Amino acid sequence: MAETFLVAIIDQDREEQALAIADEEGGADGTVLHGSGLGFPEHMTFLGVTYQGNESVCVWQLETEQAERIARRLNLELDLFQPYNGLAFTLDTAALQGMKFVGHLTHTP
């Protein structure tokens, strides 16, 4: 069974919708990270103060077929193909590389 990471970068106002879509497709266990100003343009300026908006990055590790199905639904139902609305995409876990932590990390005063 091949596994894939599903990543959705969306406006925080659509986070609950995204989680509900994933849950309907069996992808209930995910991780949500909150951020601000992740490269989206200014949303509005009011009295010289710019509102950047808040974004969420949602990540799931799922079977490839399930991840691709959820990504399609997120992109279509949340209108993510429109500029600055976000994006949902998949990453093959076999192609990912990164740090590997072995043992325990300890702090020595």
Side-chain angles (χ1 to χ4, degrees):
M1 160 179 22
E3 289 203 340
T4 300
F5 281 116
L6 166 60
V7 180
I9 303 168
I10 53 176
D11 186 270
Q12 208 168 48
D13 293 340
R14 296 176 181 199
E15 179 184 311
E16 291 300 321
Q17 273 183 282
L19 295 174
I21 290 169
D23 190 39
E24 288 171 14
E25 295 289 341
D29 296 330
T31 301
V32 178
L33 306 168
H34 294 131
S36 177
L38 298 174
F40 292 112
E42 301 172 354
H43 289 276
M44 71 175 106
T45 301
F46 181 72
L47 296 174
V49 177
T50 301
Y51 173 70
Q52 290 280 340
N54 294 317
E55 287 82 32
S56 294
V57 178
C58 305
V59 182
W60 297 266
Q61 185 173 359
L62 305 163
E63 286 186 40
T64 300
E65 193 174 295
Q66 182 183 29
E68 290 173 353
R69 185 174 59 248
I70 295 171
R72 275 192 297 277
R73 278 194 65 191
L74 292 172
N75 281 317
L76 293 172
E77 293 179 30
L78 300 181
D79 205 23
L80 300 183
F81 289 124
Q82 294 300 314
Y84 311 115
N85 279 357
L87 183 63
F89 57 93
T90 60
L91 295 168
D92 181 8
T93 57
L96 297 178
Q97 296 181 9
M99 285 191 264
K100 180 177 180 182
F101 291 100
V102 179
H104 298 284
L105 299 176
T106 59
H107 173 69
T108 306

